[in-house]
Each structure stands twice: as structure tokens, then as C-alpha cells.
Amino acid sequence: MPYAPGTRCSDPSCGDFAVDHGKCLKHRRKAWENPSQHTLQIDPAREREWRKLVKAKTNGMCAWCAKPGAVCDHIVPVGEGGALYDPANGQYLCTDHDRDKTTTDLARMSAKRRSNVNFRR
């Protein structure tokens, strides 16, 4: 079976073929063009200081198992209202426990989103 012909860029002044969401390479949105609100809030100096304080709370050891830690983690995720730079909302975790916590957080947030969906009848 033959392939469908390619579509043209949705920009009225362009005749090139679309490659990404109806836009050609020249007119498609760049990944960094519209940063999220979270990205705009991040201050690299404050982030470094927060990480240093969180790591110092447990002397570089995982807060859950006392093995050497590797990752600074927000206890209450920022997306759920946790403070971005409050050291009290931070914990230092080993990679295994960070993976476990991230999986649990994502499952909880996904379930919460699913339960908040308004269905039209």
C-alpha cells in the first residue's frame, strides 16, 4: 500500500514539508523557547546551596538506609506544593531509594490526576 503524501508546513508563508506537529524544521517550536514556570523559578546558586545543606543533614549518607547517598530529593514534590529551596523539604538518598520514591510519587500523582478528571456525559 502506498504512503500518504507528506503535509505542508502550517505556516502560511512556507511551502516546506511538515516534520513536527504540522511545522517544518524552520518553523517548529524550539524546546527552550517557552520554559515552564518551574524552570523560570530555578536559581542555580540557590539550588547549589540547597543541595549542599541537604547533603550535610545526613553527612552524605542516604536518609533511608545510611548507605552513601547520591541524590538530593524533595520530600514533598515541588509539583505537589513542596518548598523548592527549603532544606527541611530535602533528603539525601541513594540511587535505589531515589528510584523507589520517584516511582511511588509518580504513581500517586498519576492516580490523583485520574481521579480529578471531569467526564462529560
Side-chain angles (χ1 to χ4, degrees):
M1 178 174 255
Y3 291 105
T7 58
R8 298 288 178 180
C9 178
S10 61
D11 188 284
S13 64
C14 186
D16 293 341
F17 284 104
V19 295
D20 185 27
H21 294 90
K23 301 282 186 176
C24 68
L25 289 173
K26 184 170 60 176
H27 292 108
R28 72 179 176 178
R29 186 178 80 75
K30 307 293 186 280
W32 60 88
E33 203 169 48
N34 298 319
S36 69
Q37 288 299 329
H38 175 72
T39 303
L40 292 173
Q41 286 180 343
I42 294 175
D43 175 8
R46 288 182 72 192
E47 180 82 9
R48 277 191 303 275
E49 182 65 20
W50 178 79
R51 289 181 186 282
K52 189 168 71 173
L53 292 170
V54 168
K55 185 177 180 179
K57 279 194 329 185
T58 59
N59 295 320
M61 305 306 266
C62 177
W64 291 11
C65 69
K67 289 195 298 190
V71 180
C72 287
D73 176 70
H74 288 93
I75 297 168
V76 177
V78 175
E80 290 185 341
L84 184 59
Y85 297 122
D86 182 4
N89 188 36
Q91 60 186 348
Y92 204 57
L93 299 176
C94 64
T95 53
D96 291 337
H97 285 126
D98 179 58
R99 184 183 58 244
D100 294 345
K101 182 179 179 295
T102 300
T103 302
T104 303
D105 287 347
L106 291 174
R108 184 182 63 253
M109 287 188 276
S110 180
K112 186 176 179 181
R113 268 195 303 272
R114 281 194 304 271
S115 70
N116 288 337
V117 174
N118 295 325
F119 292 102
R120 292 183 185 180
R121 293 180 186 207

